[in-house]
Amino acid sequence: MKPIIISGAELCVERISGIQRYMVETLRNIDLHLQDNPQTFEVRLCYPEDSQLLISDFKSINMIPLKYNGKGWNTRVLKQYVENEHGIFCGFSNNITLCKDSIILLHDIRRLETFAYDSFKACMNYRITCGLISLFAKTIVTDSEYQQRAICSKLHKPQKSVEVFYAGYEHIERVDCDASVFDTFPLIEKDNYYYSLGSIAKHKNYNWILEVAKRNPDKQFVVAGSQLKEKWGTSADDFKHENIIYVGYVTDEQNKALLKECKAFLQPSFYEGFGLPPLEALVLGKPIMVSSATCLPEIYEGIATIFDPNDYSVDLNDIHIPTFDEISKMKNRYSWKRVAADWVELFRKSCEVEA
């Protein structure tokens, strides 16, 4: 039976972001699932040799280091390996592919839907990637029904070829708290600030936080996430205000500490593929406010206070407080364990078809 060959190059980074989070937690739970439910197919994770990965302690997923000269990892090195091994290529990170019958995860296709949030060059490059994915991928996976509809529409794919595997929550319960962030930023008022997590990218809509902060001078706002101007074209300096504290990139442990001590979590994005941070906040018992854009109502309707991302007159004192039962339902629906089971089933079906 053909092996499933996963690209692991996306795990060769020092800092974890949303895309890596999905991949790390999914692979971790696929590995556990395979230990409890042995399959007839093999799963391999290929990565550039001499690289350090975010996760590598697998028992059922085989780690395969490959020589890499820095050019064409997916289109040359991994493609050749897949062909030699008669395998099925799987990419978890919007991977460009030239492998027939691939399985590709597309987290969001904003650069295909609009030029509003990214550079023209980035959008055009992404459109080339999506064109190749449409041509070579047999199955596309995404993490919300909104994205499924968008992918089917933009890439002209039938719904049956685009699967929806949501994200999960368990990682936020597993990590410890690191309260050192409060020592580094002593002006943060515990239990009295509104917290937001995300890069400074345009689609994250930091301007909403700025405008709402201006209208609520008696309230404090704490924002964490990547603020690299060279990457996003803007920085926290463009959104300064006296009641906003930018803490920059935070570790998982620091993020948990900030979540546990916040008054509520805010997600004002114009565009999301899933929107994981509000789920993390809910699991820790915190109220959340999310925008009405893209997939966020689909994921959080009924448990979140939902607002128009262009409306700055929201009432921060009127936020829905989630109940224990509401949080339990969210945990039952959005679980990495369930996500892993869905992926293993997709692998099994793909291997049986190709056998």
Side-chain angles (χ1 to χ4, degrees), residues 35-232:
Q35 291 177 47
D36 296 335
N37 305 273
Q39 303 291 320
T40 55
F41 59 86
E42 179 188 2
V43 178
R44 304 176 191 173
L45 180 68
C46 296
Y47 62 97
E49 64 178 4
D50 301 324
S51 298
Q52 295 293 321
L53 279 68
L54 289 171
I55 183 172
S56 60
D57 55 339
F58 299 116
K59 291 183 172 60
S60 297
I61 297 176
N62 295 319
M63 305 290 291
I64 310 293
L66 300 177
K67 290 185 178 181
Y68 179 46
N69 63 6
K71 295 182 179 180
W73 168 255
N74 284 323
T75 57
R76 294 183 184 179
V77 177
L78 204 50
K79 178 178 182 293
Q80 188 63 55
Y81 179 80
V82 171
E83 290 177 350
N84 291 344
E85 297 295 313
H86 305 287
I88 298 174
F89 173 76
C90 178
F92 275 82
S93 182
N94 306 324
N95 302 84
I96 192 169
T97 178
L98 297 177
C99 298
K100 185 181 178 182
D101 296 329
S102 298
I103 301 170
I104 300 293
L105 172 62
L106 289 178
H107 290 276
D108 75 66
I109 61 166
R110 71 175 186 278
R111 291 174 178 170
L112 189 59
E113 284 204 278
T114 177
F115 286 88
Y117 310 121
D118 301 271
S119 70
F120 179 81
K121 181 179 179 180
C123 291
M124 293 308 297
N125 287 339
Y126 187 74
R127 285 162 190 246
I128 293 172
T129 297
C130 284
L132 291 171
I133 290 172
S134 181
L135 184 63
F136 287 98
K138 184 172 184 178
T139 304
I140 295 174
V141 177
T142 191
D143 41 16
S144 67
E145 291 182 1
Y146 174 89
Q147 287 301 315
Q148 182 190 49
R149 293 191 297 271
I151 290 168
C152 291
S153 173
K154 293 296 181 179
L155 296 184
H156 308 291
K157 288 288 187 179
Q159 185 172 334
K160 65 180 181 180
S161 70
V162 183
E163 299 277 2
V164 177
F165 298 161
Y166 291 111
Y169 73 90
E170 292 93 331
H171 62 280
I172 199 65
E173 292 187 332
R174 187 175 63 247
V175 300
D176 296 324
C177 279
D178 178 4
S180 65
V181 66
F182 297 110
D183 297 326
T184 305
F185 297 92
L187 294 180
I188 295 178
E189 301 171 7
K190 291 184 178 182
D191 298 318
N192 198 38
Y193 61 88
Y194 296 85
Y195 180 45
S196 185
L197 172 68
S199 70
I200 202 76
K202 290 181 181 179
H203 67 282
K204 295 296 185 180
N205 195 16
Y206 270 42
N207 188 63
W208 184 90
I209 295 175
L210 173 62
E211 294 299 327
V212 171
K214 289 178 180 177
R215 290 163 173 76
N216 294 271
D218 59 323
K219 294 178 171 56
Q220 186 179 75
F221 300 82
V222 175
V223 181
S226 171
Q227 299 173 18
L228 298 176
K229 188 167 187 176
E230 58 270 25
K231 182 176 182 179
W232 303 116

Side-chain angles (χ1 to χ4, degrees), residues 284-354:
L284 297 178
K286 295 298 177 176
I288 62 172
M289 294 184 70
V290 304
S291 83
S292 57
T294 60
C295 68
L296 293 171
E298 170 193 339
I299 308 299
Y300 297 107
E301 188 170 18
I303 198 169
T305 300
I306 298 176
F307 60 89
D308 183 331
N310 292 301
D311 179 12
Y312 309 129
S313 60
V314 296
D315 185 356
L316 295 175
N317 295 314
D318 185 21
I319 302 180
H320 174 72
I321 307 299
T323 66
F324 176 84
D325 287 344
E326 288 174 336
I327 294 172
S328 295
K329 288 179 181 178
M330 292 292 287
K331 291 169 72 172
N332 287 334
R333 184 179 185 190
Y334 303 116
S335 162
W336 291 120
K337 186 175 181 180
R338 174 177 288 186
V339 172
D342 289 338
W343 274 100
V344 170
E345 179 63 13
L346 174 59
F347 290 163
R348 183 188 66 78
K349 290 180 179 178
S350 300
C351 290
E352 286 181 352
V353 171
E354 296 299 322

